[in-house]
Amino acid sequence: MKRTKVKVLLNSGQPGSEVLVKGWVRSKRDSKGVAFIALNDGSVIHNIQIVVDVANFDENALKSISTGACIAVKGLLVQSLGKGQSVEIQAREMELYGAADPETFPLQKKGHTLEFLREIAHLRPRTNTFGAVLRMRHAMSYAIHKFFNDKGFVYVHTPIITGSDAEGAGAMFRVTTLDDQKPPLNELGHVDYREDFFGKETNLTVSGQLEGELVATALTEIYTFGPTFRAENSNTTRHLAEFWMIEPEVAFNELDDNMNLAEEFLKYLISYALEHCKDDLEFLNNMYDKELIQKLHFVLEHPFQRLSYTEGVEILRNSGQKFEFKVEWGTDLQSEHERYLVEKHFQRPVILTDYPKEIKAFYMKQSADGKTVRAMDVLFPGIGEIIGGSQREENYDKLLNRVNELGIKNEDLWWYLDTRRFGTCPHAGFGLGFERLMLFVTGMNNIRDVIPFPRTPKNAEF
Ligand code: ATP
Ligand code: MN
């Protein structure tokens, strides 16, 4: 007999039919010779109820079917009399795949803190919360590919191991096969990377953008969606050492087009979640953030506020608000500043543009004022920066000047500079942090709770 998923049974199971389900026991209670088992197989947040006439089963075998156990159940699907479920299964045969000793099973009781669940990340997918988050992660990944595919973008796989350390997006993790006890040394007594696997120093990528640009200046509209790595020692609720980033890059787009694409993209993903993740959203809304669904609708219904960094700084300086970090033109905004603009001042997502060139990357398009670049950050409530992007500098001489000003070695970037020597074109793109998006759509507060196995400083156990 073929197994049916719980989701299918609950949505469209035919009462009166014989069914087979397999899953993990969420709870079991006994009442007057009848046992009620709540069974979940992760296909949906809801459990299916198994009704067991205790008299028909071996007492010891039944005992082993406790919370956390994995079982298969054959039985008759019937209309449920209890409230909260449409159908239930009257068990005829049960098979125990794996017991879970109630004395030691860590998820014996409900209501564990998220902090505790992080310590048992190997088991937390079995909770309602992580089931919901992981199903939504999947739905959002699919929606991202669908959005770009429907628009004719090409998905590009950029390398995870990079030989350039010029991206400037942060500290990197070294990739090496050299002997860590006795590495070969060069004439200066430093590690000689000419002897290393790739014949040079290599690291895990911090962004696929530079390679993305190479392909966009051939295929016009591309995106990447892959893991990125930052070795910064930042222990915040919004930073991971390993996270996933989506980076569209579009030839012939200028900054306005880039902002339009970012806004359309985020709104598409949010409406996709509202349409396709109803059950999980309702659960997360009830458990973690009573305004979650309302907030998602709110973002859909309002245009993002667009203004320049300079205007943003003015507003912050005149706000009368006391900030931990002082706001001055020319300094990077802290998340407290970003969140003031979004949550207090405009009360909607904000796109800040035209940042001082000193605080942004070398590849951003230089403006005529000589002071700013065509950058854009999308700021979201509760999160701060969710997207960072820009129009790119397409002029070879200007780009080279900036590279030299910053003391970046040309030989590391010759291939990137070449795109400006041969058939250069205006182009623009951005990076969306996937886990920051997940924070917003799930209402979770800590980025460690929206990725199955978080990588943060001093934490790579699971
Ligand atoms: P922040 O200032 O918040 O540290 P950033 O400006 O260093 O971010 P970018 O280099 O612009 O980040 O990366 C693009 C996007 O990737 C960001 O807008 C954010 O959504 C996401 N992101 C960046 N760093 C991290 C991280 N350590 N963990 C998770 N997401 C990140
Ligand atoms: Mn940024």
Side-chain angles (χ1 to χ4, degrees):
M1 193 177 189
K2 225 174 140 241
R3 173 179 65 91
T4 311
K5 286 195 186 193
V6 171
K7 181 180 182 173
V8 173
L9 291 177
L10 292 179
N11 284 347
S12 55
Q14 289 304 316
S17 57
E18 186 82 6
V19 296
L20 169 65
V21 280
K22 300 180 178 184
W24 291 266
V25 175
R26 282 297 167 80
S27 66
K28 188 174 99 184
R29 66 190 165 82
D30 293 284
S31 159
K32 301 181 207 126
V34 182
F36 297 93
I37 296 169
L39 197 70
N40 189 282
D41 66 0
S43 58
V44 60
I45 189 112
H46 307 295
N47 306 320
I48 192 154
Q49 176 157 278
I50 315 289
V51 183
V52 184
D53 187 345
V54 171
N56 296 341
F57 292 86
D58 175 72
E59 195 182 334
N60 276 331
L62 262 186
K63 232 184 175 164
S64 319
I65 299 179
S66 57
T67 299
C70 185
I71 59 172
V73 181
K74 250 187 218 165
L76 188 67
L77 193 70
V78 296
Q79 215 96 48
S80 176
L81 301 174
K83 50 179 190 318
Q85 70 247 339
S86 52
V87 288
E88 60 191 26
I89 297 171
Q90 285 174 352
R92 280 211 240 272
E93 273 175 56
M94 292 201 284
E95 184 184 345
L96 177 68
Y97 286 129
D101 181 359
E103 296 295 316
T104 51
F105 180 55
L107 293 170
Q108 185 60 31
K109 296 249 146 40
K110 285 188 171 182
H112 290 297
T113 64
L114 292 168
E115 287 79 7
F116 172 73
L117 293 179
R118 269 172 232 147
E119 290 166 22
I120 52 162
H122 61 307
L123 292 173
R124 71 179 184 171
R126 301 217 198 148
T127 62
N128 285 333
T129 298
F130 285 88
V133 166
L134 295 177
R135 278 186 298 273
M136 283 192 71
R137 239 187 111 95
H138 163 76
M140 290 293 92
S141 304
Y142 176 73
I144 286 162
H145 287 300
K146 179 162 169 50
F147 175 83
F148 287 119
N149 183 65
D150 289 353
K151 282 184 172 299
F153 281 56
V154 172
Y155 177 30
V156 174
H157 302 94
T158 49
I160 290 170
I161 299 174
T162 173
S164 85
D165 60 356
E167 277 119 342
M172 300 175 110
F173 291 101
R174 167 99 17 100
V175 175
T176 180
T177 54
L178 291 179
D179 183 346
D180 56 358
Q181 303 297 317
K182 258 187 158 206
L185 302 178
N186 61 21
E187 310 77 48
L188 299 168
H190 299 148
V191 175
D192 190 354
Y193 290 105
R194 288 172 303 186
E195 304 269 316
D196 206 346
F197 190 91
F198 296 104
K200 63 184 299 198
E201 226 179 300
T202 49
N203 294 288
L204 294 179
T205 186
V206 293
S207 156
Q209 180 202 318
L210 300 188
E211 294 90 351
E213 282 186 53
L214 305 181
V215 185
T217 55
L219 301 189
T220 305
E221 294 173 316
I222 66 98
Y223 71 106
T224 71
F225 184 0
T228 46
F229 307 85
R230 309 259 168 116
E232 272 117 328
N233 205 348
S234 44
N235 249 313
T236 77
T237 53
R238 295 169 303 107
H239 290 91
L240 291 163
E242 174 180 303
F243 64 100
W244 289 68
M245 186 141 65
I246 302 97
E247 297 182 275
E249 190 72 36
V250 183
F252 316 118
N253 264 10
E254 302 192 3
L255 191 66
D256 273 328
D257 309 307
N258 208 29
M259 287 194 273
N260 293 342
L261 181 65
E263 181 164 349
E264 187 192 343
F265 181 41
L266 287 167
K267 286 182 168 169
Y268 177 89
L269 297 177
I270 291 167
S271 58
Y272 190 95
L274 284 167
E275 197 176 322
H276 296 273
C277 308
K278 277 205 181 75
D279 290 350
D280 291 326
L281 275 175
E282 264 164 35
F283 171 81
L284 293 165
N285 190 94
N286 293 340
M287 289 292 291
Y288 294 103
D289 180 355
K290 294 276 185 292
E291 287 165 4
L292 172 62
I293 292 173
Q294 197 187 317
K295 275 197 274 192
L296 297 182
H297 280 291
F298 181 87
V299 167
L300 285 186
E301 285 151 18
H302 295 83
F304 295 3
Q305 183 74 41
R306 301 178 184 190
L307 71 159
S308 70
Y309 165 91
T310 304
E311 292 165 314
V313 165
E314 271 313 293
I315 291 169
L316 291 166
R317 287 177 70 88
N318 296 330
S319 66
Q321 182 85 7
K322 259 195 89 68
F323 294 113
E324 192 188 334
F325 294 92
K326 210 172 142 206
V327 186
E328 251 172 314
W329 198 95
T331 59
D332 214 354
L333 297 182
Q334 302 292 325
S335 117
E336 56 172 341
H337 308 132
E338 296 173 342
R339 293 182 58 173
Y340 177 86
L341 290 173
V342 172
E343 290 158 29
K344 296 262 162 55
H345 191 84
F346 291 112
Q347 300 186 337
R348 65 181 61 182
V350 167
I351 311 184
L352 274 189
T353 61
D354 301 288
Y355 282 71
K357 67 175 187 213
E358 278 75 22
I359 57 173
K360 289 292 180 187
F362 73 93
Y363 50 72
M364 296 192 181
K365 187 174 174 63
Q366 298 157 34
S367 298
D369 65 12
K371 289 189 289 206
T372 59
V373 287
R374 300 296 270 160
M376 60 169 227
D377 278 8
V378 181
L379 313 177
F380 253 46
I383 289 167
E385 180 184 332
I386 193 165
I387 279 180
S390 71
Q391 187 173 337
R392 320 304 188 189
E393 182 55 76
E394 82 272 23
N395 179 284
Y396 179 73
D397 294 321
K398 286 186 183 164
L399 184 61
L400 189 64
N401 271 340
R402 192 70 189 132
V403 165
N404 289 333
E405 253 170 40
L406 292 170
I408 302 169
K409 285 186 255 142
N410 292 6
E411 66 258 32
D412 281 351
L413 274 181
W414 63 272
W415 45 272
Y416 182 74
L417 293 165
D418 257 11
T419 52
R420 276 65 168 173
R421 289 176 58 210
F422 307 116
T424 191
C425 65
H427 60 288
F430 59 81
L432 167 67
F434 186 52
E435 286 75 21
R436 300 244 175 120
L437 169 79
M438 289 311 302
L439 282 175
F440 188 71
V441 296
T442 60
M444 303 301 279
N445 284 318
N446 194 315
I447 202 160
R448 292 163 181 77
D449 299 330
V450 294
I451 188 165
F453 306 105
R455 295 286 174 263
T456 51
K458 302 277 179 291
N459 178 29
E461 176 81 8
F462 307 95

